[in-house]
Amino acid sequence: MSDPKPSPPTIFARILAGELPCHKIYEDENVLAFLDIFPLSPGHLLIIPKEQKAYLHELSAGSAAAIGRVLPRLARATMAATGATAYNLLQNNGAAAHQAVFHVHFHLIPKIGDRGLGIGWVPGKLPEADAHHMVARIQDALDSDLS
Ligand code: AMP
């Protein structure tokens, strides 16, 4: 049996490799931030790890920490530059969750007038028994996740 075909590099991997251009805002050893080319609002930017993983849950603790460290600074700079006083952070995982580029990325989306992230939010109910059951299941999974 032949090996599975390697998947082609994502757009963001090609940006990281210098094969495609981007409007770079910030770079360090682990992180790159650049403007989204189809912005929901002025200043909409993407923050990506240099580590090439499709989903957040695959990311190393080091990459996750490096992104977390720089997010507040990028948010302050984007608010100062755009005049926005509100913004959303969005991080999609999986096609069903609206992910189009399969390299981890955080969207930082300023809310400027009616421009920015529109959210469809349909809250359910949380009966006490369901809450206890869910807490137990997630805590069990946490306990068996040794990474
Ligand atoms: P997502 O739906 O979370 O996967 O979002 C992917 C985002 O990447 C979209 O908002 C696109 O506009 C953006 N995008 C795609 N190609 C590029 C590119 N070459 N440079 C900057 N942003 C891009």
Side-chain angles (χ1 to χ4, degrees):
M1 206 167 79
S2 60
D3 288 339
K5 240 176 49 193
S7 42
T10 65
I11 290 172
F12 295 169
R14 297 186 64 201
I15 288 174
L16 284 169
E19 292 169 18
L20 293 175
C22 73
H23 298 286
K24 179 162 58 171
I25 288 170
Y26 172 87
E27 182 171 16
D28 65 30
E29 201 187 328
N30 302 298
V31 178
L32 180 70
F34 51 95
L35 291 178
D36 193 299
I37 39 164
F38 299 114
L40 292 180
S41 59
H44 178 172
L45 60 95
L46 301 170
I47 302 113
I48 69 171
K50 291 189 175 175
E51 185 180 11
Q52 297 197 11
K53 297 291 184 197
Y55 308 115
L56 183 75
H57 56 267
E58 298 176 326
L59 211 54
S60 67
S63 282
I67 289 177
R69 221 173 3 251
V70 79
L71 277 178
R73 201 170 146 214
L74 286 169
R76 285 193 295 274
T78 305
M79 286 197 293
T82 61
T85 54
Y87 60 93
N88 293 96
L89 272 179
L90 174 69
Q91 205 280 309
N92 300 326
N93 294 278
H98 213 283
Q99 185 177 12
V101 179
F102 289 86
H103 180 119
V104 173
H105 52 281
F106 287 74
H107 296 257
L108 198 165
I109 310 168
K111 195 77 186 170
I112 299 174
D114 60 0
R115 306 249 357 239
L117 181 69
I119 300 180
W121 190 290
V122 185
K125 292 200 161 48
L126 183 61
E128 201 60 15
D130 291 5
H132 283 295
H133 186 57
M134 187 55 72
V135 166
R137 288 184 63 177
I138 296 174
Q139 286 182 338
D140 280 352
L142 265 179
D143 289 344
S144 49
D145 181 351
L146 303 175
S147 56

